[in-house]
């Protein structure tokens, strides 16, 4: 699982039942397994999301086997990015910059 920072003050938008509702809206399905929320969409056979704290979100994705057309791949990636932005409060560029900063500081 990869950990992502949650924007300061953003936790209120995902606490309780709000995170699974958000997953339902973006991916169309969600279930709970061992304290994590699990979904799937397009080429993403499994999307597992777990809130670690008010500032950390863990996400693990697994791709489906087989070949897919470009539109399906792009749509799946866009949905995942949309979900990540709604869940963390950071867009893809900001998440990448935060990840690079942690790597430079040796926190990864």
């Amino acid at each position: 699982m990869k950990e992502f920072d949650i924007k300061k003050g953003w936790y209120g938008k995902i606490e309780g039942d709000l995170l699974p509702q958000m997953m339902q809206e973006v991916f169309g399905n969600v279930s709970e397994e061992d304290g994590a929320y699990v979904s799937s969409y397009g080429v993403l056979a499994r999307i597992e999301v777990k809130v670690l704290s008010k500032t950390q979100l863990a996400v693990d994705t697994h791709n489906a086997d087989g070949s897919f057309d470009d539109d399906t791949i792009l749509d799946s990636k866009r949905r995942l990015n949309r979900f990540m932005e709604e869940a963390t409060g950071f867009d893809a560029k900001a998440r990448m910059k935060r990840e690079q900063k942690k790597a430079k500081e040796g926190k990864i």
Side-chain angles (χ1 to χ4, degrees):
M1 282 198 151
K2 189 166 181 165
E3 294 179 10
F4 295 91
D5 292 336
I6 297 173
K7 194 177 217 179
K8 187 174 182 178
W10 201 263
Y11 179 73
K13 296 182 182 206
I14 63 168
E15 70 180 321
D17 289 339
L18 297 176
L19 184 62
Q21 287 175 8
M22 186 183 298
M23 289 180 76
Q24 178 72 34
E25 288 172 15
V26 175
F27 302 120
N29 61 78
V30 65
S31 62
E32 187 173 355
E33 297 177 13
D34 300 324
Y37 299 105
V38 179
S39 189
S40 63
Y41 185 84
V43 300
L44 300 168
R46 183 174 174 90
I47 307 161
E48 186 175 342
V49 181
K50 186 172 189 176
V51 177
L52 301 176
S53 68
K54 288 185 174 187
T55 61
Q56 291 285 306
L57 185 72
V59 179
D60 194 20
T61 60
H62 298 279
N63 292 334
D65 293 331
S67 60
F68 296 91
D69 62 85
D70 291 344
D71 289 336
T72 303
I73 296 168
L74 287 172
D75 183 47
S76 300
K77 184 66 174 173
R78 285 183 183 125
R79 291 278 180 130
L80 181 62
N81 276 333
R82 183 176 130 205
F83 168 74
M84 292 300 297
E85 186 170 343
E86 289 178 12
T88 65
F90 294 110
D91 63 10
K93 186 175 181 180
R95 289 192 308 269
M96 182 182 68
K97 283 185 177 184
R98 293 179 79 81
E99 194 77 17
Q100 289 173 342
K101 182 179 176 188
K102 284 183 181 180
K104 285 181 183 177
E105 295 172 352
K107 294 181 179 179
I108 296 178

